[in-house]
C-alpha cells in the first residue's frame, strides 16, 4: 500500500492516545531460548531458514542498561539482516522494558506495537503503554517493546532531508492535468530514489515477516515460552503474521484496529478511503450541532460539499501560515485526515478549518505536521520513510502507473467524495519503489494458535470494521470484540466494557464471548 495508507496511526499524538493493547500469557521460562525456529508459516513471505544457524541469536545474552527514563531498561539485540543468510550481516535492534510492578503473579513479558508501519514501539512503550495501561496489567507483566527493523532506534531508514520532505508534502495530490501528474510522479520517484540512496542495504529486509521473526528472537531472549502481545493498527498485521509463523508460541494476542491480510493493496486503499468517509460523516453530523462549526449549515451532507469547496479553493490559492510554507490543498487534506483518527480532535479541527477560511492556515498545518511527525525545527521523524518501505515490500503496488489511477478514480471517489481523489493518487507511490515486493495478500489462519482477540471499531477511519470481522473469521482461534463508536482502535479509549474484556483476557486468559459488542 502507499505511504499514507492505513496504519497511518497518524502522528504520535493520535497514535499513542488511542491505539492498542495486547497480551499473551507467555510465562517466564529459561527454556525460551531453546526454541530457535524457522517458524511454520504457509503464507507469503515464508522462507526456508537454517534453524541451527539461528541458535546464536536465540541464545544471545543482552546487556540491559538504564534508559534515562525512570523505571525503564534498554538494550540492543542482534538479528540477521537477511534470514536466508543467517551467517551473513547482522542488524542491531533496539529493545526496552519496564519490569512488572506487582503485586500478583508475574505473567511474563507483554510486547506492544502501536502500528504504522513505522511507529516507534519503544516510544509508545515509554510514552504511554508502560505507564498508561491498566495497573493490574502492568503489575503482572514486564512491559516490553522492540523498535522494528528500519524504524526509530533500530537502524532507521532515511530518504529525504527536512526541506525535501517539506516540498514532498506540498505536492498536489489531486492533479488536474498532465503537468501536475508529472510533478506528482516525479515527487514519488525522488522519494524512492532518496530511500535507495540513503538506505538501500536495508530496504529489501524490512518486511513484516522479518520483523515477526525478530519478535520471536526477542521473546526467547526475554525468557518467555510464548509471546504476549498487544498490537494496534498495522501492529495487528504484525501480530497475525507472528501467529502464522509461530502458532505454537502464540499466547494471548490482542489485535486492535485490525487489518485484513487477504486483500490486495488497491482494495485495502479503497476500503480505507471509505473508512475515512465514514469517519468524516460522523464528524459532519457532530459539526452541525456545534456553535463553532465553520460551515454555516445544519445539513451534514452540505458539510462535505463545503469541505470540498474549501479544498478546491486552497488548490488555486493557498493561505499563509506565519512561516515560509503556505497551506495548500495537500497539507490541508492531510490535516483533516489526521483529525479523523480520534473524535477528541474534532474541536481542534473545527477551529483549524475556521482559521484557514479566515486566511490563517497555521492550526491546520499543525495537524498535518503531527501526521507527518515533523518537528518544530523542520526535521522529520523516520515514520513516513519506514511506512513506505514496509508497505511497498509487503504487497505488490496498488497501481503500476498514472493510467491505472485515472481508471480507478470513479471507484475511489464513490468510496469518498471528500478524500477519494487524494487517496487514489497517493496510492501510486509504490509503483516507483526500488525494491520488489516479497509479500502477497493471503488469508492468515494460524492453525494451532491459542485464542486471539481481534478488536474492531464500527466507525474506525483507518482500519474499517469489516477488516476486523474478516481477520477474526480467518484466524482459526480468532474471537471478535466489537466497539460501537468513533476513532481509530478501541482499547483504552474510555469504554469500560472493552477495557474489562481485554484486561480479563490478558490477566486470566479468558477471551470475550463470541460476537461481544460494547459501546
Amino acid at each position: 500500500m502507499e505511504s499514507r495508507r492505513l496504519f497511518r496511526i497518524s502522528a504520535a499524538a493520535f497514535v499513542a492516545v488511542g491505539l492498542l493493547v495486547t497480551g499473551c500469557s507467555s510465562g517466564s521460562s529459561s527454556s525460551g531460548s531453546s526454541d530457535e525456529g524457522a517458524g511454520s508459516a504457509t503464507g507469503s513471505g515464508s522462507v526456508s531458514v537454517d534453524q541451527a544457524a539461528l541458535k546464536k541469536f536465540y541464545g544471545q545474552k543482552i546487556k540491559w542498561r538504564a534508559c534515562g527514563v525512570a523505571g525503564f531498561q534498554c538494550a540492543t539485540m542482534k538479528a540477521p539482516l537477511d534470514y536466508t543468510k543467517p551467517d551473513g550481516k547482522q542488524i542491531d535492534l533496539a529493545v526496552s522494558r519496564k519490569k512488572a510492578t506487582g503485586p500478583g503473579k508475574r505473567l511474563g513479558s507483554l510486547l506492544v506495537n502501536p502500528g504504522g508501519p513505522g511507529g516507534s514501539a519503544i516510544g509508545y512503550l515509554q510514552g504511554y503503554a508502560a505507564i498508561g495501561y491498566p495497573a493490574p496489567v502492568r503489575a503482572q507483566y514486564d512491559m516490553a517493546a522492540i523498535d522494528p527493523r528500519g524504524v526509530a532506534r533500530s537502524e532507521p531508514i532515511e530518504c529525504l532531508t527536512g526541506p525535501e520532505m517539506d516540498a514532498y508534502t506540498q505536492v498536489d495530490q489531486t492533479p488536474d492535468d498532465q503537468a501536475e501528474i508529472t510533478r506528482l510522479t516525479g515527487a514519488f520517484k525522488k522519494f524512492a530514489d532518496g530511500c535507495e540512496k540513503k538506505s538501500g542495504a536495508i530496504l529489501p529486509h524490512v518486511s513484516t515477516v522479518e520483523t515477526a521473526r525478530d519478535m520471536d528472537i526477542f521473546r526467547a531472549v526475554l525468557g518467555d515460552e510464548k509471546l504476549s502481545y498487544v498490537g494496534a493498527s498495522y501492529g495487528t498485521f504484525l501480530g497475525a503474521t507472528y501467529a502464522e509463523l509461530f502458532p505454537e508460541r502464540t499466547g494471548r494476542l490482542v489485535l486492535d484496529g485490525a487489518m485484513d491480510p487477504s486483500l490486495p493493496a488497491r482494495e485495502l486503499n479503497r476500503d480505507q478511503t471509505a473508512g475515512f468517509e465514514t469517519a468524516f460523516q460522523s464528524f459532519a453530523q457532530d459539526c452541525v450541532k456545534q456553535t463553532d462549526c465553520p460551515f454555516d449549515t445544519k445539513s451534514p451532507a452540505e458539510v462535505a460539499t463545503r469541505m470540498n469547496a474549501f479544498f478546491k479553493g486552497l488548490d488555486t490559492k493557498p493561505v499563509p501560515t506565519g512561516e515560509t510554507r503556505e497551506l495548500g490543498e495537500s497539507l490541508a487534506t492531510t490535516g483533516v485526515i489526521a483529525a479523523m483518527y480520534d473524535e477528541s480532535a474534532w474541536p481542534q479541527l473545527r477551529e483549524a478549518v475556521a482559521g484557514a477560511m479566515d486566511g490563517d492556515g497555521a492550526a491546520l498545518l499543525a495537524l498535518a505536521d503531527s501526521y507527518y511527525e515533523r518537528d518544530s525545527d523542520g526535521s522529520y521523524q523516520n515514520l513516513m520513510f519506514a511506512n513506505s518501505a514496509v508497505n511497498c515490500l509487503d504487497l505488490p503496488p496498488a497501481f503500476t502507473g498514472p493510467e491505472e489511477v485515472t481508471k480507478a478514480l470513479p471507484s475511489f471517489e464513490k468510496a469518498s467524495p471528500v478524500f477519494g481523489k487524494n487517496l487514489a493518487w497517493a496510492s501510486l507511490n509504490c509503483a516507483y519503489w526500488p525494491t520488489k515486493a516479497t509479500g502477497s495478500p493471503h488469508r492468515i489462519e494460524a492453525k494451532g494458535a491459542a485464542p486471539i482477540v481481534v478488536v474492531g471499531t464500527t466507525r474506525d477511519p483507518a482500519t474499517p470494521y469489516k477488516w476486523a470481522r474478516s481477520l477474526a473469521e480467518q484466524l482459526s482461534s480468532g474471537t471478535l470484540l466489537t466497539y460501537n463508536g468513533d476513532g481509530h482502535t478501541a482499547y483504552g479509549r474510555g469504554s469500560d466494557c472493552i477495557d474489562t474484556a481485554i484486561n480479563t483476557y490478558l490477566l486470566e486468559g479468558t477471551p470475550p464471548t463470541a460476537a461481544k459488542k460494547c459501546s
Side-chain angles (χ1 to χ4, degrees):
M1 304 178 72
E2 41 75 45
S3 69
R4 139 184 328 204
R5 88 176 181 188
L6 61 158
F7 343 100
R8 279 289 25 198
I9 76 186
S10 140
F14 292 97
V15 174
V17 180
L19 301 186
L20 67 155
V21 216
T22 160
C24 143
S25 158
S26 63
S28 175
S29 171
S30 59
S31 66
S33 61
S34 67
D35 314 328
E36 68 294 323
S40 55
T42 58
S44 72
S46 179
V47 296
S48 176
V49 176
D50 184 346
Q51 297 183 43
L54 290 179
K55 286 184 177 180
K56 61 185 176 184
F57 297 105
Y58 276 82
Q60 67 185 292
K61 304 297 181 182
I62 61 177
K63 296 181 180 180
W64 292 104
R65 64 185 185 281
C67 290
V69 181
F72 290 89
Q73 296 175 308
C74 292
T76 300
M77 187 188 85
K78 298 284 187 181
L81 175 65
D82 183 346
Y83 273 91
T84 67
K85 301 175 182 178
D87 292 323
K89 293 182 178 179
Q90 299 180 0
I91 188 171
D92 291 328
L93 302 174
V95 298
S96 183
R97 71 179 180 184
K98 189 175 188 290
K99 300 287 284 184
T101 58
K105 177 184 177 182
R106 181 180 175 276
L107 296 175
S109 306
L110 179 61
L111 272 66
V112 296
N113 183 284
S120 171
I122 292 178
Y124 177 71
L125 174 78
Q126 297 179 355
Y128 175 69
I131 57 177
Y133 272 21
V137 173
R138 293 181 285 115
Q140 294 184 250
Y141 282 101
D142 291 347
M143 302 296 295
I146 176 172
D147 270 352
R149 50 178 60 207
V151 174
R153 300 164 178 84
S154 293
E155 302 196 14
I157 291 168
E158 297 296 338
C159 300
L160 301 178
T161 65
E164 288 171 337
M165 271 298 289
D166 281 348
Y168 177 77
T169 61
Q170 294 178 77
V171 173
D172 188 354
Q173 292 204 83
T174 58
D176 299 314
D177 54 37
Q178 186 57 50
E180 291 187 347
I181 290 174
T182 299
R183 281 195 290 273
L184 180 58
T185 57
F188 287 147
K189 291 173 183 178
K190 182 175 180 178
F191 186 98
D193 289 346
C195 295
E196 183 177 32
K197 181 178 179 180
K198 295 185 177 183
S199 302
I202 194 175
L203 284 188
H205 303 293
V206 293
S207 70
T208 297
V209 166
E210 289 161 306
T211 294
R213 291 187 180 280
D214 295 339
M215 285 205 309
D216 195 54
I217 293 177
F218 189 35
R219 170 204 58 79
V221 168
L222 288 168
D224 293 330
E225 291 183 345
K226 293 189 176 183
L227 180 78
S228 299
Y229 174 82
V230 175
S233 199
Y234 159 80
T236 66
F237 179 45
L238 177 58
T241 299
Y242 180 90
E244 180 182 37
L245 285 165
F246 308 105
E248 72 284 359
R249 298 174 207 164
T250 297
R252 298 172 192 169
L253 267 61
V254 176
L255 308 180
D256 186 10
M259 287 182 58
D260 183 349
S262 70
L263 299 178
R266 188 181 303 185
E267 191 170 346
L268 280 169
N269 287 346
R270 189 161 44 214
D271 279 356
Q272 190 189 43
T273 299
F276 279 110
E277 181 66 22
T278 297
F280 183 82
Q281 290 172 3
S282 288
F283 163 76
Q285 291 167 7
D286 177 76
C287 188
V288 298
K289 300 174 185 177
Q290 308 301 325
T291 58
D292 64 344
C293 184
F295 298 103
D296 190 26
T297 179
K298 295 300 181 182
S299 167
E302 186 64 21
V303 171
T305 299
R306 297 190 183 190
M307 182 67 85
N308 276 330
F310 169 64
F311 288 151
K312 187 174 181 179
L314 292 174
D315 189 28
T316 56
K317 188 178 180 181
V319 298
T321 62
E323 58 167 275
T324 55
R325 291 180 300 156
E326 292 184 314
L327 181 74
E329 181 184 13
S330 289
L331 286 171
T333 304
T334 300
V336 174
I337 285 175
M340 293 298 100
Y341 282 83
D342 191 333
E343 66 272 25
S344 68
W346 292 355
Q348 182 182 356
L349 177 60
R350 294 196 300 269
E351 181 180 358
V353 172
M357 287 179 168
D358 287 339
D360 181 1
L364 197 49
L365 178 64
L367 280 170
D369 285 349
S370 72
Y371 180 94
Y372 285 122
E373 290 202 348
R374 183 186 190 272
D375 295 329
S376 58
D377 64 359
S379 63
Y380 287 75
Q381 301 297 314
N382 98 304
L383 173 61
M384 297 306 296
F385 308 142
N387 186 273
S388 290
V390 176
N391 288 335
C392 296
L393 199 59
D394 277 350
L395 287 175
F399 300 108
T400 60
E403 298 79 10
E404 290 187 0
V405 180
T406 300
K407 291 179 181 179
L409 277 176
S411 65
F412 274 76
E413 291 181 302
K414 181 179 179 181
S416 174
V418 178
F419 305 116
K421 186 175 182 181
N422 182 291
L423 294 180
W425 283 104
S427 304
L428 181 60
N429 77 320
C430 286
Y432 308 103
W433 203 247
T435 303
K436 185 179 180 180
T438 56
S440 62
H442 66 285
R443 290 174 56 86
I444 292 183
E445 299 180 1
K447 293 180 179 179
I452 297 171
V453 174
V454 179
V455 188
T457 298
T458 55
R459 294 183 294 280
D460 190 315
T463 50
Y465 177 63
K466 69 177 185 178
W467 290 356
R469 291 202 311 263
S470 179
L471 180 60
E473 182 275 327
Q474 291 173 45
L475 291 167
S476 62
S477 59
T479 296
L480 177 64
L481 175 62
T482 297
Y483 174 55
N484 182 18
D486 296 293
H488 186 35
T489 72
Y491 187 55
R493 289 177 52 86
S495 169
D496 289 339
C497 175
I498 289 289
D499 292 354
T500 297
I502 292 176
N503 293 343
T504 299
Y505 170 67
L506 291 176
L507 297 173
E508 301 175 13
T510 304
T513 57
K516 181 177 179 61
K517 296 182 179 180
C518 298
S519 59

